[in-house]
Amino acid sequence: MTRLVRAFFDRPTLEVARDLIGVRFCVDGVAGRITETEAYIGQDDPACHAARGQTARNAVMFGPSGMAYVYFIYGMYHCLNMVTERDGFPAAVLVRGIKLEDGRHLDGPGKLCRDLGIDKADNGADLISGERFRLEDDGIRLPFIAGPRVGISKGADLPWRFRARIL
DNA sequence: ACCCCGATCGTA
DNA sequence: ACGATCGGGGTT
């Protein structure tokens, strides 16, 4: 069981989003496997929060890869992203689904953060060398399918959502 | 100071 | 199909 290194995230976002499917993810010891992701890639992606430049909210996306970008949405939910690509290029992978080892399936980015206790206090946390979050590669790869991203109006034609075929 | 709307979710 | 709920960011 080897922990992911920063080079894993310092790559093209679509590659990272696909390779994250099946990866083991632990939050304060609660372990599961990532089942669904979406890619948000740079200022040319109209659905990316960075599309209109850097702000206080999206600043983490502009920084080094391997960090958690957590934002508050719809007045009641948080969403967890993992920052990708080189320092200075704003991109990230949204985590949309996790299958926990106890059998529960956390389906949806808002529910997932609510049930794992992830909120704005986790924005900027290091996923590579931090204590609270661990990402581990145990060699298991799940087959996945690509499709359009959920809940966006602009950029809805791009097949940048990936989800495991079988949980 | 004001207004709009969003990478969602539960209920109808 | 729709309402809840509120912070961020653009506009006046």
Side-chain angles (χ1 to χ4, degrees):
Chain A
M1 191 98 76
T2 140
R3 196 168 181 185
L4 294 190
V5 295
R6 203 163 308 280
F8 177 91
F9 289 101
D10 202 356
R11 292 186 296 147
T13 307
L14 289 173
E15 289 181 21
V16 178
R18 289 187 280 248
D19 290 349
L20 276 172
I21 301 297
V23 161
R24 248 177 77 90
F25 183 51
C26 309
V27 182
D28 279 337
V30 178
R33 211 171 277 286
I34 296 174
T35 59
E36 184 176 343
T37 61
E38 282 178 0
Y40 289 87
I41 313 177
Q43 311 224 31
D44 293 333
D45 173 5
C48 181
H49 286 173
R52 270 151 293 186
Q54 183 171 345
T55 66
R57 178 177 68 147
N58 64 26
V60 173
M61 261 206 298
F62 285 77
S65 60
M67 305 299 181
Y69 166 45
V70 181
Y71 63 88
F72 185 60
I73 190 71
Y74 294 123
M76 46 187 125
Y77 298 105
H78 293 271
C79 290
L80 168 67
N81 297 256
M82 299 179 178
V83 175
T84 59
E85 316 240 9
R86 67 169 207 277
D87 193 355
F89 186 93
V93 172
L94 171 68
V95 181
R96 294 189 54 90
I98 295 177
K99 175 67 182 278
L100 295 180
E101 287 184 341
D102 67 12
R104 279 190 298 153
H105 186 219
L106 304 183
D107 196 0
K111 281 161 60 180
L112 175 163
C113 283
R114 184 192 60 194
D115 292 3
L116 291 174
I118 296 169
D119 61 23
K120 284 177 72 172
D122 294 304
N123 190 39
D126 192 343
L127 303 166
I128 304 301
S129 59
E131 291 297 313
R132 176 161 155 78
F133 300 107
R134 289 185 70 85
L135 284 159
E136 295 165 346
D137 180 5
D138 58 4
I140 294 182
R141 280 284 172 279
L142 300 179
F144 61 85
I145 55 175
R149 293 175 293 181
V150 174
I152 55 171
S153 48
K154 290 161 283 189
D157 49 323
L158 302 167
W160 289 358
R161 175 194 190 199
F162 306 96
R163 57 184 171 139
R165 288 179 171 278
I166 306 162
L167 306 179

